[in-house]
């Protein structure tokens, strides 16, 4: 029923309800007075008077109803209109005129917002909630339901609110940005970028989250059309400078990135290593990247240019810094869809031929200035996102790394100067310092080291030139390019002789006309080549493609790459592990098939087993295969952090063998836990329980790990659902599936308690207590159901075979229901023990002779009663059924009959002395007595005469 109020009073009442945050009342009022309380008026009232501190979830549904113009049917009689009931019409109109309702005008020049009052309200409300109440966290709940209502709402949510909210309330809460939502939205691009990234990588512990900041802050922030100059550029737009390119805001991001490379190179390296570029955006499920192909090309190319520029700007001359610079180059090759670069240590061991991949225009001496100036400019040939500059920088970094590791530290820029200027004096000076430093600072006596030194020094001259037609005296392109090869060979020979490497020197410089490799070098070549083939393989099947080639290389040299060598064993184990993966469907990244190199360089290869279990249903049943896979991973060295894992390695000492045994045990337990989790995820509790009982429970409490007890705990916490696979057999367990399940859960929790570390015991004990309570409740419910079933059966028999006097041969029962109830609650033992006892009794006890006799007596009584044609006042017999707490424990009920006699005059004599039995009663009792005498003795039933005698004595 609508309120009979004038329009001014209705407006005042709506304002009153908004002030009181009575959304239900306001909705009811709007539903019945929509002609007066129009959408725009209500939105202005809410914007002005609804408290900003009110949670958005309280009124966002009302805004949706208001937008649709459909309200649920609600009565307005519960609305208190007394606040305006006492006002006259004039007073009401005056108060309405005094209302200062805020206009629905959002700041800015958003065109689509001006056409829709709801959009204007949402924008204004968002700004007011942030400015007045500071509740930035309430805005997602307000705006998310309306993301598809208007593009400007999604833009505000994604490019402004989401970065600001993450920056202040999630990523760096200790130092938030002191700007409101509107203030941050109006900031210049450069200021906004610096504020968003002001705390990124500021501390050492924040380095792992640099990519997260770029992905979650900069990525969404770029998705604002105001930050883009135009659309529809040609693919050549990617060559534009970041400073004057398509997106000036993106240029400021690249400027920040290169500045970090110059001042704190670890931030830049982690940023580029962890972030795939602007296409790698975390929008939190609020939409998709709407950038077109032209924008994507522009962003990828400029990002690759910034990565190359950052590598040149790293001024630290340390192996760690050079490893970071090399990582930037490898990432650049990936961004440009070039062939992936080998890892740094692998590349140093292989000394790849790079000279022929570098064009002449890159190696001009005048290009040295580009290593210092205009690094992001499109005219800079050294940072151009193309193959030749990438290979050149790779060679420069490898050269700097070789020199630095050998005791002659130089930076990337210094190595570039040596390669570009080609000053013979400087190059010869550096070469002499390198070789003399190796001789003076290293005392290694194995041939492999000195052969490696020779190969590296020669490679530094020509960067792996393979053209045999070129004269050895022809200058190379490397950092020692102007130094003659003869000079380098002499210096190397001196170093060999100074370290007593006579055999090696003779084999290289005297015995071999074509400089053949020694066995040690051949082994290195075999292993490196084999692992390169492995890295380039695309199929994990060892009988095909790259893995077959890797396997063939190893088997082609049985004397050099003997099976007893640790490197050969590791590669064989690696091949077996990789081949085992070919039996499963496996995708580690979306739309990217699994490749063998992923296994070898994966930081946590055992986690791949978890991916297998996720992507292959029922694969958890092949636990032995998965355990064998884990064993091969350990033998392949994949679980041991090492820059050369999976490759050549010196034989392990006793400590390494002990460590491998520990790793084998840990990996086995971890994979077992993974299979248990997978079984639970597929609702196969029985299999998970089997693994816990047969594998996890066998662990010693001294063998602690972080996987086994968690798996046992999760199994113990599992609750049956409709999807849970039913057991195929029960064995000796309870027939009650629920009780059996609870008992199994308790077994799992017991195992978790035994092997879990002490700090986690409280959580397990809580789960254990809850499971015991549920088990006790289930046992009690089952017992009550059995009692009710027996009582119902006895009651039905009593009613169907009722008789007027105590039946001859009746069996006395001296326990009442109350006695049974007291006895049941006084019985000791735990709930699980009681359940198992009852279940065993119920399953094992056949029908007793007592029950057989009782059934026979009742049947006889019924038949003889039917023979009598005389009218007879029937006596009421009461049957009491109870489960015995001791004795046989069969749970059968016994008859407890009491006689109630009724006289012919209709008076009830109760338990007093009955009247003299009549002839027909005597006949019936005689017949029943004959039957009882035949079967009653089996259960010790009293004879009818004795029964009557006791009745007489009781009188």
């Amino acid at each position: 029923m609508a309120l009979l109020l004038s329009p001014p009073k209705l407006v005042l009442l709506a304002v009153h309800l908004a002030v009181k945050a009575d959304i239900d009342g306001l909705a009811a009022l709007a539903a019945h007075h929509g002609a007066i309380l129009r959408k725009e008026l209500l939105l202005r009232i809410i914007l002005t008077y609804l408290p900003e501190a009110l949670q958005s979830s309280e009124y966002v549904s009302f805004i949706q109803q208001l937008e649709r113009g459909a309200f649920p049917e609600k009565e307005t009689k519960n609305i208190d209109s007394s606040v305006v009931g006492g006002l006259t019409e004039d007073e009401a109109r005056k108060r309405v005129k005094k209302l200062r309702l805020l206009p629905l005008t959002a700041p800015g020049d958003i065109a689509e917002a001006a056409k829709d009052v709801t959009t204007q309200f949402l924008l204004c409300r968002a700004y007011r909630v942030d400015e007045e109440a500071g509740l930035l966290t309430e805005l997602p709940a307000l705006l998310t339901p309306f993301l598809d209502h208007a593009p400007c709402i999604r833009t505000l949510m994604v490019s402004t609110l989401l970065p600001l909210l993450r920056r202040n309330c999630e990523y760096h809460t200790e130092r938030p940005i002191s700007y409101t939502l509107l203030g941050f939205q109006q900031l210049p691009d450069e200021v906004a970028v610096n504020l968003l990234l002001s705390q990124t990588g500021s501390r050492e512990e924040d380095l792992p989250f640099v990519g997260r900041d770029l992905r979650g802050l900069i990525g969404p922030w770029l998705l604002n059309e105001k930050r883009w100059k135009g659309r529809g550029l040609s693919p050549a737009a990617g060559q534009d400078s970041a400073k004057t390119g398509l997106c000036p805001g993106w240029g400021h991001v690249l400027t920040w990135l290169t500045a970090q490379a110059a001042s704190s190179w670890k931030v830049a390296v982690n940023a580029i290593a962890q972030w795939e570029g602007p296409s790698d955006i975390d929008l939190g499920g609020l939409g998709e990247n709407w950038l077109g192909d032209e924008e994507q090309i522009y962003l990828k190319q400029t990002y690759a240019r910034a990565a190359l520029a950052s590598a040149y700007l790293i001024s630290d001359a340390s192996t760690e810094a050079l490893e970071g610079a090399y990582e930037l180059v490898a990432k650049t090759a990936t961004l440009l869809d070039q062939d992936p670069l080998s890892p740094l240590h692998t590349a140093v061991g292989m000394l790849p031929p790079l000279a022929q991949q570098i064009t002449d225009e890159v190696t001009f001496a005048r290009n040295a200035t580009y290593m210092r100036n205009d690094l992001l400019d499109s005219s800079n040939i050294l940072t151009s996102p193309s193959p030749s500059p990438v290979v050149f920088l790779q060679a420069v970094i490898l050269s700097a790394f070789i020199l630095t590791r050998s005791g002659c530290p130089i930076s990337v820029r210094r190595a570039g100067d040596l390669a570009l200027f080609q000053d013979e004096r400087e190059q010869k000076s550096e070469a002499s310092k390198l070789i003399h430093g190796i001789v003076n600072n290293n005392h290694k006596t194995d041939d492999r080291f000195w052969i490696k030194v020779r190969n590296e020094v020669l490679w530094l001259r020509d960067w792996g030139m393979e053209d045999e037609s070129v004269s050895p005296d022809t200058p190379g392109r490397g950092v020692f390019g102007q130094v003659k090869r003869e000079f380098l060979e002499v210096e190397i020979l001196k170093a060999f002789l100074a370290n007593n490497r006579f055999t090696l020197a003779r084999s290289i410089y005297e015995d071999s006309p074509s400089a053949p490799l020694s066995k040690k070098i051949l082994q290195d070549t075999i292993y490196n080549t084999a692992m390169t083939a492995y890295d380039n393989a695309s199929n994990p099947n060892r009988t095909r493609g790259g893995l077959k080639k890797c396997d063939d290389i190893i088997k082609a040299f049985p004397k050099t790459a003997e099976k007893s060598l640790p490197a050969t064993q590791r590669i064989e184990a690696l091949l077996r592990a990789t081949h085992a993966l070919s039996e499963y469907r496996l995708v580690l990244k979306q739309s990217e098939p699994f490749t063998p190199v992923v296994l070898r360089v994966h930081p946590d290869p055992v986690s791949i087993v978890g991916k297998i279990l996720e992507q292959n249903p029922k694969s958890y049943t092949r636990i032995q295969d998965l355990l064998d896979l884990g064993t091969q991973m350990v033998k392949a060295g994949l679980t041991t952090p090492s820059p050369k894992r999976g490759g050549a390695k010196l034989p392990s000492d006793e400590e390494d063998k002990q460590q491998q045994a520990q790793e084998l045990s840990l990996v086995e337990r971890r994979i077992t836990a993974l299979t248990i989790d997978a079984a639970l995820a597929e609702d196969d509790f029985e299999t998970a329980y089997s693994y816990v009982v047969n594998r996890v429970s066998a662990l010693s409490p001294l063998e602690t790990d972080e996987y086994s007890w968690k798996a046992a705990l999760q199994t113990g916490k599992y609750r049956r659902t409709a999807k849970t696979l039913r057991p195929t057999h029960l064995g000796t367990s309870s027939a009650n599936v629920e009780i059996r399940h609870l008992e199994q859960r308790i077994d799992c929790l017991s195992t978790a308690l035994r092997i879990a570390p002490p700090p986690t015991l409280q959580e397990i004990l809580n789960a254990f207590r809850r499971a015991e309570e549920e088990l006790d409740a289930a046992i009690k419910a089952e017992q009550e159901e059995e009692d009710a079933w027996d009582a119902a059966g006895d009651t039905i028999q009593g009613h169907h075979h009722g008789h007027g006097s105590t039946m001859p041969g009746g069996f006395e029962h001296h326990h009442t229901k109350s006695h049974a109830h007291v006895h049941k609650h006084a019985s000791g033992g735990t709930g699980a023990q009681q359940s198992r006892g009852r279940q065993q009794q119920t399953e094992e006890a056949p029908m007793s002779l007592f029950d057989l006799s009782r059934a026979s007596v009742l049947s006889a009584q019924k038949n003889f009663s039917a023979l009598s044609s005389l009218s007879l006042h029937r006596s009421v017999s009461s049957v009491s059924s109870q489960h015995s707490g001791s004795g046989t424990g069969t749970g059968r009920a016994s008859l407890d009959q009491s006689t109630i006699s009724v006289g012919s005059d209709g008076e009830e004599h109760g338990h007093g002395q009955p009247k003299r039995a009549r002839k027909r009663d005597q006949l019936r009792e005689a017949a029943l007595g004959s039957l009882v005498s035949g079967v009653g003795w089996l259960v010790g039933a009293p004879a009818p005469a004795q029964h009557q005698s006791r009745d007489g004595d009781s009188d």
Side-chain angles (χ1 to χ4, degrees), residues 39 104 110-120 149-150 152:
K39 179 171 71 172
L104 296 178
I110 304 175
E112 62 267 24
K115 300 177 183 179
D116 181 63
V117 293
T118 303
T119 302
Q120 291 280 11
H149 185 77
C152 62

Side-chain angles (χ1 to χ4, degrees), residues 464-477:
M465 177 67 71
E466 294 181 337
D467 191 352
E468 298 180 356
S469 61
V470 177
S471 171
D473 296 332
T474 302
R477 287 184 171 180

Side-chain angles (χ1 to χ4, degrees), residues 276-292:
E276 299 297 329
S279 60
D280 181 15
I281 301 177
D282 180 11
L283 299 180
L286 299 178
E288 298 179 353
N289 189 345
W290 49 260
L291 296 176

Side-chain angles (χ1 to χ4, degrees), residues 318-390:
S318 64
T319 56
E320 185 181 6
L322 294 172
E323 287 174 355
Y326 190 85
E327 192 171 354
L328 296 178
V329 181
K331 186 60 175 289
T332 304
T334 302
L335 291 172
L336 299 177
D337 299 326
Q338 299 178 8
D339 294 336
L341 304 184
S342 300
L344 176 60
H345 293 277
T346 303
V348 171
M350 294 175 55
L351 298 176
L354 303 177
Q356 294 178 341
Q357 304 178 48
I358 303 173
T359 60
D360 293 337
E361 60 177 349
V362 174
T363 57
F364 287 150
R366 64 173 181 269
N367 292 336
T369 185
Y370 286 130
M371 292 189 296
R372 297 166 175 80
N373 305 312
D374 301 325
L375 289 167
L376 295 178
D377 194 89
S378 60
S379 61
N380 192 328
I381 186 62
L382 295 183
T383 59
S384 175
S386 56
S388 183
V390 171

